[in-house]
Amino acid sequence: ENEAKWTGPTPVPDNVTEPYWRGLSESRLRLQRCVNCSAWNHYPKPRCARCHSDQLTFEEVDGHGTVYSHTIVHREFVVGIKPPYVSALVDIKSAPGVRILSYIVGCDPKTVSVGMDVRPVFHPIPGEVPVGLLWFKPAS
């Protein structure tokens, strides 16, 4: 979708978040889930946010979602991320309770609306450590 070279900050995985970032580098959305209570945890954590178990795994989901909230950003807050762009909270349909902060790409920013169906756009970042970014675009 966006073939331009990424010029913004690059994620730095740690031992907890590495499976998430590696998944994005492979164009797969892998979210953390508690083995004990089945709760989804996002952003990845060392313990379940619901039951505090340390028995966590990563499960692949399709990433389709709906826009919960959004704004059009007109100011450069981070070097390398040029405005205007749409920053949005996206509810992931196959992982109830997971809401991901990301960008909406592939459309006129003025056409983004609450409730809009979106699908994932993966942007692998080449480098020594496999990472990628997750954006969304309109599903239709």
Side-chain angles (χ1 to χ4, degrees):
E1 303 305 323
N2 184 347
E3 297 303 319
K5 181 175 177 357
W6 176 248
T7 58
T10 300
V12 179
D14 60 28
N15 62 335
V16 174
T17 64
E18 187 275 335
Y20 173 74
W21 296 116
R22 183 171 21 90
L24 294 182
S25 78
E26 299 165 351
S27 297
R28 297 169 35 207
L29 178 55
R30 298 176 68 224
L31 296 174
Q32 192 181 54
R33 194 164 197 187
C34 180
V35 173
N36 187 51
C37 75
S38 298
W40 294 98
N41 285 283
H42 188 75
Y43 193 76
K45 302 162 184 61
R47 295 194 167 273
C48 175
R50 182 191 291 163
C51 75
H52 308 293
S53 169
D54 64 356
Q55 301 302 302
L56 300 161
T57 187
F58 281 82
E59 293 183 20
E60 188 169 345
V61 297
D62 67 15
H64 286 86
T66 56
V67 174
Y68 173 80
S69 179
H70 67 94
T71 189
I72 301 173
V73 178
H74 294 281
R75 184 174 158 221
E76 186 174 354
F77 287 98
V78 178
V79 173
I81 303 177
K82 301 291 181 201
Y85 57 88
V86 178
S87 180
L89 286 169
V90 175
D91 286 326
I92 303 301
K93 292 179 182 179
S94 55
V98 171
R99 188 170 284 155
I100 296 178
L101 179 63
S102 187
Y103 302 121
I104 307 296
V105 298
C107 67
D108 180 337
K110 294 182 204 108
T111 65
V112 176
S113 61
V114 170
M116 172 186 264
D117 285 326
V118 292
R119 64 184 181 93
V121 175
F122 298 97
H123 190 87
I125 299 174
E128 194 174 310
V129 177
V131 296
L133 300 175
L134 172 65
W135 300 326
F136 293 89
K137 73 175 190 175
S140 55

